[in-house]
Amino acid sequence: RQQITSLQHIHQKDLQNIKSVLQTFRCENCKTKTNDVDENNAATTSTSSTLDGISQNDEINPTSAKDISFKPIGVIHTVFTEKRAVPRQSNLATKLLSRIELYPETFTNPDHSLIGLEKFSHIWLIYNFHKNSAHSKAKVAPPRLTGEKVGVFSTRSPHRPCPIGLSLVQIDKIENSKIYFYGTDMVDGTPVLDIKPYIPHYDVPKRIDDIEFYPTREAPDGEETIEENLGASTSSSTAASAAATNGSSNVKVPNWVLNNSRLKVVFNDNAIQQTRELGIDKNSIAEILKTDPRSVYLRTKYGSQIYTFQLGENTVTCKFDDNNSTVNVLQVRKVINLQDITVE
């Protein structure tokens, strides 16, 4: 049965390839005429194409699209109303609960698209850095390198030619067309492009010696058996990480990425009292600050200045002590809306 399924998939791909060849096939005389027509029309027609329209050149070669546009499938709501102090990675804010809301126009029944996702513990979120414009510079300066520049594709900088983000988050619960998750590293209002389940069996790299080869073709995406999916979903990502540490993976990263330095976060009595009154878990604030959310510019130019950031409806005020690798939380207060102030 598996072999037949694989052959059917191969057959469909072969048919698509044949259709593509037939659509682009031209005899020598036709090619000459087509080239003449294309040259005459080149000055008056645009060669760019989007999902909403295809140019004349793209009719000859359907895969020559230069511009691609997508419609978001939903939106992410977080406690970060601005980019300031947003964690750089999703595993740095494991106590901050956020949610995804699917747009009703994406599907007739958006909640149906989430059936079965509750069997997984983690998901990949693919989203758009909607507050960043396309970044054309080939080099960027990661915060951990304190000003030294490397190629943008060797970093996870949000400033990229195609501003697309990827985060691994943990599912808390699913209600109708909403997904609640832990692992917030995006700003409020972020458009979601896609959601995929995290499967350690496929997502954790292995040594080439550990990979099992089969005489028949592996089932294409979406054709895995129920047993495979359930088995993969129950695998522990912690166990997979431990296996990688024990030498079952040949993954390597630069030393500056492994620099796991942390700051000591200290709350004064006033800040502790305010977090209690506001019902805020101070550990969620500590998670953000211990990895130093400041940019390289702020760290080098204004290292000892007061630093503030907004966390939901509250503002956190702190001060960094770079000499002692410490950050002191001075105040946590509710944001004051000037429109709510009445003058007597």
Side-chain angles (χ1 to χ4, degrees), residues 124-145:
W124 291 106
L125 296 183
I126 303 174
Y127 51 90
N128 172 238
F129 292 116
H130 66 297
K131 293 200 172 184
N132 293 345
S133 57
H135 189 74
S136 59
K137 294 184 179 180
K139 288 186 176 182
V140 294
R144 290 191 178 187
L145 285 180

Side-chain angles (χ1 to χ4, degrees), residues 36-49 54-60 66:
D36 292 340
V37 172
D38 290 341
E39 290 176 359
N40 293 332
N41 293 337
T44 57
T45 60
S46 173
T47 58
S48 63
S49 67
I54 302 177
S55 69
Q56 184 174 358
N57 288 343
D58 289 330
E59 291 178 355
I60 298 175
K66 292 183 179 180

Side-chain angles (χ1 to χ4, degrees), residues 108-336:
T108 305
N109 298 296
D111 53 314
H112 289 187
S113 65
L114 303 180
I115 294 176
L117 193 61
E118 74 281 355
K119 297 182 182 296
F120 295 87
S121 63
H122 293 72
I123 53 175
W124 291 106
L125 296 183
I126 303 174
Y127 51 90
N128 172 238
F129 292 116
H130 66 297
K131 293 200 172 184
N132 293 345
S133 57
H135 189 74
S136 59
K137 294 184 179 180
K139 288 186 176 182
V140 294
R144 290 191 178 187
L145 285 180
T146 61
E148 181 182 347
K149 291 186 176 182
V150 294
V152 64
F153 294 132
S154 65
T155 73
R156 295 193 175 186
S157 170
H159 304 285
R160 319 181 71 82
C162 294
I164 296 176
L166 175 68
S167 296
L168 179 63
V169 302
Q170 182 177 1
I171 298 175
D172 175 58
K173 61 181 178 179
I174 299 176
E175 293 181 350
N176 299 323
S177 59
K178 298 178 182 178
I179 305 174
Y180 293 83
F181 66 90
Y182 289 102
T184 304
D185 63 344
M186 62 285 292
V187 73
D188 185 54
T190 296
V192 182
L193 300 178
D194 199 7
I195 301 169
K196 299 179 185 293
Y198 171 74
I199 305 176
H201 182 72
Y202 302 131
D203 295 342
V204 177
K206 294 183 179 181
R207 282 184 180 272
I208 191 68
D209 297 336
D210 296 335
I211 299 177
E212 298 180 358
F213 292 93
Y214 299 92
T216 58
R217 180 184 174 278
E218 185 179 355
D221 291 343
E223 295 182 11
E224 293 85 2
T225 63
I226 296 177
E227 291 78 12
E228 285 176 334
N229 285 331
L230 291 179
S233 65
T234 55
S235 300
S236 170
S237 59
T238 304
S241 300
T245 306
N246 293 333
S248 64
S249 174
N250 56 354
V251 177
K252 64 177 183 179
V253 295
N255 291 331
W256 63 268
V257 176
L258 298 176
N259 181 15
N260 201 25
S261 59
R262 293 288 188 269
L263 300 179
K264 181 181 179 181
V265 182
V266 180
F267 290 77
N268 63 18
D269 294 338
N270 181 47
I272 293 176
Q273 180 63 27
Q274 289 173 333
T275 55
R276 290 174 179 171
E277 293 175 354
L278 295 172
I280 301 174
D281 183 4
K282 64 186 184 70
N283 291 326
S284 62
I285 299 176
E287 274 192 332
I288 298 172
L289 293 176
K290 68 182 180 182
T291 55
D292 196 348
R294 297 174 299 172
S295 64
V296 175
Y297 178 79
L298 287 178
R299 192 186 309 163
T300 54
K301 297 292 184 180
Y302 307 99
S304 60
Q305 297 292 326
I306 295 294
Y307 182 85
T308 63
F309 65 94
Q310 191 169 340
L311 189 65
E313 298 180 349
N314 305 290
T315 299
V316 180
T317 304
C318 58
K319 188 173 184 179
F320 288 86
D321 183 357
D322 293 330
N323 293 329
N324 297 313
S325 299
T326 304
V327 53
N328 297 285
V329 181
L330 308 177
Q331 180 177 262
V332 181
R333 61 182 177 84
K334 198 172 186 64
V335 176
I336 299 176

Side-chain angles (χ1 to χ4, degrees), residues 73-110:
I73 63 171
V75 63
I76 303 176
H77 292 293
T78 75
V79 295
F80 297 101
T81 57
E82 55 186 19
K83 293 188 290 183
R84 189 180 182 90
V86 174
R88 296 189 177 96
Q89 300 296 329
S90 59
N91 65 344
L92 301 180
T94 58
K95 298 183 182 300
L96 295 176
L97 184 65
S98 301
R99 76 178 186 275
I100 304 167
E101 292 186 9
L102 297 182
Y103 290 141
E105 57 268 22
T106 303
F107 300 103
T108 305
N109 298 296

